[in-house]
Amino acid sequence: MEQINLIILFFLLLSIVLGYLFKANIGIFAIVLCFIAAYIYGLKPSEIVKLWGLDLFFILVSITYFYGFVINNGTLNNLASKAVYGVRNYPWSIPIVLYIVVVIFVGIGPGHYAGFAFMSPLVLYIANKIKMNKILAAIIIYSGSCAGGFNPFTLGGRVTYNLIENLGFTPEQSAIMQLNLGKNMFIAHTLIFILGYVLLKGYKVVYSSNIDKPEKLNSIQIKTILIVTFVFSLVMVPSIYLSFQPENLLMNKMTIFFNPTFVSFLGIILAIVFKIGDETQAFKNIPWNLIFMIGALTMLIALGKSTGAMQIISNFLSAQGGNDSSWIYYLLGVLSSSMSAFASSMGVVMPTFFPIVPSLSVLEPSLAFSIIATFATFTGYSSFSSGGALVLAGTQDEQERKYLFIRLLILPILLVLFGFLLLFLGVIN
């Protein structure tokens, strides 16, 4: 039994290393290695396939498919452009408005990956117009996306909720812990933006009269806003009402019935019926690469959980804590941020480290989940990760690109140290 546990842990690490070395989806290697480990353990092929998390699969597909309509018809970008154009005469406020716009854009549902992909052109375009520091632009894009990307209705929120619930926590406990995770993520990244705004002198950006006036909302975009509002309300209104009156049976039933997966598919039908976009183009918005990665790694981790492999990691962390369990929180932060430098935070780091939390009885689970998720996002600013890569891609001048490349390698280290300070002060709690 001990041998199979070590094999699974080795295979988990090997799949990440191979994916990084070959610049390929980690999930490809994880699935093959999962089958090999499962055969050694004695599982049948039909049992191995069942390790794939269908709940998570449907959550990811439904939400991203629905928001594919909203993104592709230009509604969200048009609204974002209007917000920036409205404060063009107050240049000091433009970075603040951009940050708020990114948080809202991501927060209504599309998720932080959509923020990286679809808000970066707008932010970098405005940054060039007003001569804003590109690192501040990176903070607006990346921290704004992370701050808004983990509320209960977003892609990140649903994934983290599902990961927590699958560990044996009740739906109520999972919702509370996920909400706390989203709160900590919002606070940490908003503080990063505030510091960046002050230190990088976001208040001294140059006024520009060249910011183009956005077009008026067309009939399709107006219908889109109404559909998104309706879908959002079906999920959020019962949940908010229930938080004030938890004994209400009707709202309990509505919360169960109007789950985000069902409501997102309902939104897709409304989008098709009211013709707010091309179904095939919206389908292309589904991040199959991410879904495959999460699903495959979940298979390997689920196998490790059943054999007791994840308990080895738990025992290691417990041994490091000694009599003072607070050290384990900092160690979790180091491990999470280190792995995230080479692998996806939501696709790899969270599915890997979340399952060990219940075994660490000395830890408060809600705080542990928050630390894993938040610290995993800190290293996303690296030149080799999504946040840094976006900024480098949007920088035209070669000298400026070299200047930024080095600083974007240093920034994640400073943010991890900043995270330790927030943890020490109790801001992340």
Side-chain angles (χ1 to χ4, degrees):
M1 185 64 73
E2 185 69 26
Q3 185 180 18
I4 186 62
N5 288 337
L6 292 175
I7 289 172
I8 291 172
L9 291 177
F10 172 71
F11 280 178
L12 181 61
L13 181 61
L14 182 62
S15 63
I16 295 170
V17 172
L18 290 174
Y20 181 75
L21 290 176
F22 290 98
K23 308 298 180 187
N25 193 309
I26 293 169
I28 297 170
F29 302 101
I31 283 183
V32 173
L33 293 173
C34 180
F35 267 86
I36 295 172
Y39 284 137
I40 295 172
Y41 185 57
L43 291 181
K44 297 177 182 177
S46 59
E47 295 173 312
I48 300 171
V49 173
K50 289 177 182 178
L51 296 173
W52 182 282
L54 278 179
D55 287 349
L56 197 54
F57 173 82
F58 274 103
I59 287 169
L60 288 165
V61 170
S62 62
I63 292 177
T64 54
Y65 191 3
F66 170 58
Y67 278 98
F69 289 96
V70 183
I71 290 168
N72 287 327
N73 67 23
T75 301
L76 294 181
N77 265 329
N78 197 340
L79 290 172
S81 299
K82 285 180 180 296
V84 174
Y85 185 78
V87 297
R88 66 193 182 282
N89 294 323
Y90 308 95
W92 61 268
S93 69
I94 293 177
I96 298 172
V97 170
L98 281 172
Y99 181 78
I100 294 171
V101 163
V102 174
V103 171
I104 294 174
F105 175 96
V106 172
I108 64 171
H112 55 297
Y113 289 108
F116 301 158
F118 296 101
M119 291 306 295
S120 56
L122 173 68
V123 173
L124 292 170
Y125 167 77
I126 299 296
N128 287 323
K129 290 279 187 181
I130 63 176
K131 302 189 185 307
M132 182 170 68
N133 188 296
K134 293 299 192 306
I135 294 180
L136 180 56
I139 291 173
I140 289 170
I141 297 166
Y142 188 83
S143 281
S145 295
C146 290
F150 287 87
N151 76 63
F153 190 68
T154 63
L155 186 66
R158 297 315 305 172
V159 169
T160 48
Y161 171 84
N162 190 269
L163 288 172
I164 293 170
E165 188 182 31
N166 285 345
L167 297 175
F169 293 100
T170 66
E172 292 77 15
Q173 290 173 324
S174 302
I176 291 170
M177 286 189 275
Q178 195 288 314
L179 198 61
N180 186 60
L181 185 156
K183 178 208 72 175
N184 284 320
M185 189 76 75
F186 175 81
I187 291 172
H189 281 281
T190 298
L191 288 174
I192 290 170
F193 166 72
I194 293 170
L195 278 174
Y197 179 81
V198 174
L199 297 176
L200 300 173
K201 299 180 180 179
Y203 51 86
K204 286 190 175 181
V205 295
V206 179
Y207 167 78
S208 175
S209 59
N210 297 324
I211 298 177
D212 300 327
K213 183 177 181 179
E215 298 177 358
K216 290 184 178 180
L217 291 169
N218 57 41
S219 58
I220 289 177
Q221 291 171 340
I222 292 172
K223 284 191 287 186
T224 301
I225 294 171
L226 293 174
I227 290 172
V228 170
T229 303
F230 174 69
V231 168
F232 192 79
S233 299
L234 285 180
V235 175
M236 296 306 293
V237 171
S239 298
I240 293 171
Y241 188 90
L242 200 60
S243 65
F244 292 102
Q245 294 197 15
E247 73 285 351
N248 191 295
L249 293 177
L250 176 61
M251 287 298 153
N252 266 297
K253 290 181 180 179
M254 287 183 66
T255 303
I256 295 169
F257 183 74
F258 290 122
N259 66 81
T261 302
F262 165 70
V263 171
S264 294
F265 277 117
L266 179 61
I268 292 167
I269 292 174
L270 292 174
I272 294 170
V273 170
F274 289 98
K275 299 179 180 179
I276 66 170
D278 186 341
E279 179 191 351
T280 56
Q281 291 301 315
F283 191 77
K284 291 178 182 178
N285 187 66
I286 299 173
W288 293 112
N289 193 55
L290 175 67
I291 291 172
F292 186 73
M293 183 193 300
I294 294 177
L297 273 171
T298 302
M299 289 176 68
L300 193 53
I301 291 167
L303 179 63
K305 188 180 176 183
S306 64
T307 64
M310 305 314 291
Q311 188 64 42
I312 294 177
I313 302 178
S314 301
N315 293 340
F316 166 76
L317 289 173
S318 297
Q320 308 311 306
N323 295 323
D324 184 7
S325 62
S326 63
W327 277 103
I328 305 180
Y329 291 119
Y330 293 93
L331 186 57
L332 272 178
V334 171
L335 293 173
S336 175
S337 56
S338 299
M339 182 182 282
S340 183
F342 305 100
S344 165
S345 56
M346 194 168 74
V348 178
V349 180
M350 297 178 204
T352 300
F353 284 107
F354 273 27
I356 69 176
V357 171
S359 303
L360 296 169
S361 57
V362 294
L363 296 186
E364 202 288 304
S366 185
L367 177 57
F369 290 134
S370 290
I371 290 171
I372 292 168
T374 306
F375 275 78
T377 61
F378 288 159
T379 43
Y381 280 100
S382 166
S383 302
F384 303 109
S385 296
S386 50
L390 285 170
V391 179
L392 292 174
T395 304
Q396 306 301 320
D397 185 79
E398 187 61 31
Q399 287 297 112
E400 187 179 31
R401 188 181 286 115
K402 290 179 180 177
Y403 170 86
L404 288 171
F405 184 87
I406 301 298
R407 281 153 182 78
L408 288 172
L409 289 176
I410 299 171
L411 183 59
I413 300 172
L414 297 177
L415 291 181
V416 171
L417 295 175
F418 178 65
F420 289 154
L421 178 62
L422 295 181
L423 189 55
F424 177 77
L425 295 174
V427 177
I428 297 177
N429 54 52

